[in-house]
Amino acid sequence: MFGHVAVGVKIGEKLYILDQRLPSFNLDTWLMKWNKKKTTVHKLKKVLMQTRLG
């Protein structure tokens, strides 16, 4: 069970956290805001599949 969920968006080499309210934060600032030293990050990978029509 998750205690809190937020979305991370990678732009270039930086990871920004989009939480329930603005503003967005970089990961270090977000961890300080939540008084955490570490967190679990799950990465989703987009996979393109070719389909044949007809």
Side-chain angles (χ1 to χ4, degrees):
M1 170 100 29
F2 295 105
H4 187 84
V5 176
V7 175
V9 178
K10 188 174 181 182
I11 301 174
E13 293 299 315
K14 294 187 177 187
L15 181 63
Y16 296 93
I17 307 300
L18 303 174
D19 212 331
Q20 297 172 1
R21 299 177 192 222
L22 292 174
S24 60
F25 297 101
N26 65 31
L27 183 58
D28 291 332
T29 304
W30 186 82
L31 289 171
M32 284 190 319
K33 178 184 175 209
W34 283 95
N35 198 26
K36 300 277 187 183
K37 293 183 189 232
K38 63 181 182 175
T39 189
T40 301
V41 175
H42 298 277
K43 180 179 178 180
L44 298 177
K45 182 177 179 181
K46 183 177 179 180
V47 177
L48 298 176
M49 295 175 46
Q50 292 184 354
T51 59
R52 287 188 241 172
L53 299 175

